[in-house]
Amino acid sequence: DCIERGFRHFLITKQLWDDVHDWRQDTNMGHVSYVVATIMRDMHLKPGMYAKKALTDDMLPVFLNKTMPKICAVALKHTTESKQAFVDSGLIKADSPIYKILDDQKQPILYTIDQHAKSRALIKGARKIVAK
């Protein structure tokens, strides 16, 4: 059912975005959310015991440079799929508040992607200056 699919994608995006903000706390509490698991995969960690503080410190640059952009892309995809499912249902009018909610959900994701790109460009430019 399209409405169910729309809400499923909406909730996935909401949970991903919550996990993006809580990954450090989740790691410190020993919870492995989708975001924490993705960071650990991006780090190519082997199974074993790790000191939480050291692990969290090592995770931060990987999260910022590799995982966070991936998670943003996944969240954006789910937001788009949510909206499409509601449109496909034929039951949700174009002026429905659900579309405003989806747009509001999408904005911080787009902002984060934009800020990440600007930060990477700034760092790249600074490296060129320092290399001269």
Side-chain angles (χ1 to χ4, degrees):
D1 161 59
C2 292
I3 300 292
E4 181 181 326
R5 186 168 35 104
F7 279 112
R8 187 177 314 116
H9 286 292
F10 170 80
L11 291 173
I12 289 169
T13 302
K14 184 152 180 45
Q15 187 62 55
L16 279 172
W17 207 240
D18 288 344
D19 290 348
V20 159
H21 293 89
D22 298 339
W23 70 267
R24 286 182 237 193
Q25 294 91 329
D26 289 342
T27 302
N28 288 329
M29 294 185 338
H31 297 153
V32 181
S33 67
Y34 178 82
V35 172
V36 171
T38 304
I39 298 167
M40 294 171 102
R41 274 193 302 275
D42 288 344
M43 293 175 72
H44 307 288
L45 286 180
K46 305 263 188 278
M49 301 288 286
Y50 296 90
K52 289 178 192 174
K53 171 79 170 103
L55 179 60
T56 304
D57 290 348
D58 290 346
M59 291 170 89
L60 182 59
V62 175
F63 170 76
L64 292 173
N65 294 308
K66 190 170 186 179
T67 309
M68 191 262 307
K70 278 191 210 176
I71 298 297
C72 285
V74 170
L76 203 53
K77 176 180 167 278
H78 282 288
T79 301
T80 301
E81 289 186 21
S82 177
K83 187 172 187 175
Q84 189 59 54
F86 289 129
V87 168
D88 291 348
S89 77
L91 300 172
I92 310 292
K93 293 180 182 178
D95 62 348
S96 172
I98 192 69
Y99 296 122
K100 169 85 168 94
I101 292 168
L102 289 170
D103 287 342
D104 289 348
Q105 186 180 51
K106 190 176 185 178
Q107 288 313 307
I109 299 167
L110 293 173
Y111 178 79
T112 301
I113 291 168
D114 178 63
Q115 291 301 302
H116 183 262
K118 287 176 180 174
S119 296
R120 304 254 322 164
L122 181 65
I123 291 167
K124 187 176 180 180
R127 285 185 181 145
K128 285 181 181 178
I129 292 170
V130 170
K132 288 183 178 182

